[in-house]
Amino acid sequence: MKDITINILLSYLHLKLDFEKIQAVDYWEADLCAIGFTNNFKDKLIYISSFQKEQNQFYVEVELENGLEKNKIFESSTSKEIEELLISFLY
């Protein structure tokens, strides 16, 4: 079971987003403070971690598979900012 911070984030995102276009992935089962999201093509991954972060603050890394752009790192993102990133990069 994931950390409460991740569960709260997932609940928030389920209320806000269409999960037919994106999916949560858990490549880090042992890391209770991490979760990821990908699109249906699985060509982009957004990694999210709440480890050692304040309440409603997350480390976010947008991993782009195309090799044309560098990964984007956001050191301190809120739930709302993560919602916007998911829409921007995965929809």
Side-chain angles (χ1 to χ4, degrees):
M1 183 171 190
K2 291 292 182 178
D3 185 77
I4 187 75
T5 57
I6 296 298
N7 289 324
I8 291 170
L9 175 65
L10 287 171
S11 294
Y12 170 83
L13 293 173
H14 272 283
L15 291 172
K16 299 290 186 174
L17 300 174
D18 179 1
F19 271 73
E20 289 184 14
K21 295 182 179 182
I22 63 171
Q23 57 186 290
V25 292
D26 189 7
Y27 301 129
W28 316 272
E29 290 180 22
D31 185 347
L32 301 181
C33 296
I35 194 75
F37 289 91
T38 189
N39 57 11
N40 291 334
F41 302 108
K42 296 189 174 131
D43 62 345
K44 297 175 185 166
L45 175 70
I46 296 181
Y47 167 82
I48 301 166
S49 175
S50 61
F51 183 69
Q52 293 184 337
K53 293 290 185 185
E54 298 291 325
Q55 184 175 359
N56 195 36
Q57 294 291 309
F58 301 89
Y59 169 90
V60 180
E61 186 168 345
V62 179
E63 299 178 6
L64 306 168
E65 295 291 323
N66 64 17
L68 301 175
E69 301 178 71
K70 289 186 176 182
N71 291 352
K72 298 180 183 343
I73 296 174
F74 304 88
E75 290 289 340
S76 190
S77 296
T78 65
S79 298
K80 178 65 176 165
E81 291 167 332
I82 290 171
E83 174 190 354
E84 293 167 359
L85 285 171
L86 291 173
I87 291 169
S88 176
F89 286 99
L90 298 182
Y91 275 64

